[in-house]
Amino acid sequence: GAGVSQSPSNKVTEKGKDVELRCDPISGHTALYWYRQSLGQGLEFLIYFQGNSAPDKSGLPSDRFSAERTGGSVSTLTIQRTQQEDSAVYLCASSSWTSGSSGDTQYFGPGTRLTVL
Amino acid sequence: GNSVTQMEGPVTLSEEAFLTINCTYTATGYPSLFWYVQYPGEGLQLLLKATKADDKGSNKGFEATYRKETTSFHLEKGSVQVSDSAVYFCALSDRGGGFKTIFGAGTRLFVKA
């Protein structure tokens, strides 16, 4: 497909379980972001991958959260030992860095709605 | 570091009213500026952008002008419609910040018929 895809679209899990959320960015996009959006709230930045650079993990709320990006494409966000406060919509976005530009449009996926019971 | 500040909502307007949502920024370099919109039940999407000072971004009747002297990028629309009800996010991205996009907190707009 032409857009950013995320899976699953919905995930219900029990407190204490681990979950993995997947993001397929637009082909060729060098930058990939993960955000969290709680009901009625703004975007909370989690992690940012740009090309082969070390990821910016400054937004990860705790060491239960981790993410990787394999081969510069697909990314997986892992939440270990989930807590009820982790319930939110997790959004992925990708963009293409253009040499000489100062920033490019982000294209968002539909999100994964995580519910921790 | 880079930051974006936008007016708190919610903003409630009647149809055909004039809309302004204020956005100011702090950046180390010369950022690109964006407005994203999130309609109810939908994903975030770009509304408009401007990449250099004095540029005006426009789309769907919305406009925003990149004002370097006041470090602002206010969103305006002359006559809002019920269908404009959404959450609006101001954002910036620049080389000095490693191209990481910084979002404002979002402003929820309600338009009444």
Side-chain angles (χ1 to χ4, degrees):
Chain A
V4 178
S5 60
Q6 293 185 244
S7 60
S9 55
N10 278 286
K11 177 71 176 178
V12 179
T13 190
E14 293 179 349
K15 178 181 172 182
K17 301 283 190 183
D18 297 352
V19 295
E20 284 189 352
L21 311 180
R22 176 186 169 106
C23 173
D24 282 89
I26 292 173
S27 178
H29 278 191
T30 57
L32 187 148
Y33 301 77
W34 283 99
Y35 299 93
R36 180 167 70 176
Q37 188 174 34
S38 300
L39 185 63
Q41 302 299 310
L43 290 172
E44 178 185 3
F45 165 76
L46 298 178
I47 188 168
Y48 165 51
F49 297 89
Q50 173 62 280
N52 295 320
S53 302
D56 177 347
K57 304 179 182 180
S58 60
L60 295 178
S62 77
D63 59 7
R64 296 187 295 104
F65 288 72
S66 63
E68 62 178 20
R69 188 177 185 192
T70 54
S73 181
V74 172
S75 178
T76 302
L77 177 69
T78 301
I79 309 173
Q80 296 178 309
R81 305 182 302 281
T82 52
Q83 304 295 313
Q84 288 182 331
E85 60 263 28
D86 299 335
S87 297
V89 176
Y90 289 81
L91 295 170
C92 175
S94 71
S95 67
S96 64
W97 174 74
T98 304
S99 177
S101 77
S102 60
D104 268 304
T105 302
Q106 289 196 25
Y107 294 85
F108 283 82
T112 293
R113 182 176 297 279
L114 175 66
T115 303
V116 182
L117 301 177
Chain B
N2 295 347
S3 66
V4 175
T5 303
Q6 61 182 107
M7 63 188 289
E8 290 188 23
V11 174
T12 303
L13 295 172
S14 297
E15 209 166 23
E16 299 184 2
F18 185 85
L19 168 70
T20 300
I21 300 178
N22 290 337
C23 172
T24 57
Y25 68 91
T26 302
T28 54
Y30 299 93
S32 290
L33 301 174
F34 306 82
W35 277 100
Y36 287 84
V37 60
Q38 188 173 33
Y39 297 104
E42 297 185 17
L44 267 152
Q45 58 188 281
L46 178 72
L47 179 60
L48 54 85
K49 71 177 184 180
T51 58
K52 61 182 187 296
D54 300 325
D55 270 2
K56 178 185 285 188
S58 61
N59 187 23
K60 299 182 180 180
F62 290 88
E63 293 183 339
T65 301
Y66 189 140
R67 301 286 188 199
K68 187 170 181 292
E69 63 276 14
T70 54
T71 62
S72 64
F73 193 56
H74 304 322
L75 182 68
E76 297 182 336
K77 186 173 186 181
S79 176
V80 294
Q81 304 300 311
V82 172
S83 57
D84 294 326
S85 297
V87 182
Y88 293 83
F89 294 89
C90 185
L92 71 79
S93 173
D94 87 310
R95 181 185 299 271
F99 296 103
K100 184 173 110 178
T101 300
I102 307 296
F103 283 85
T107 303
R108 184 174 296 275
L109 170 67
F110 292 104
V111 180
K112 303 179 296 183

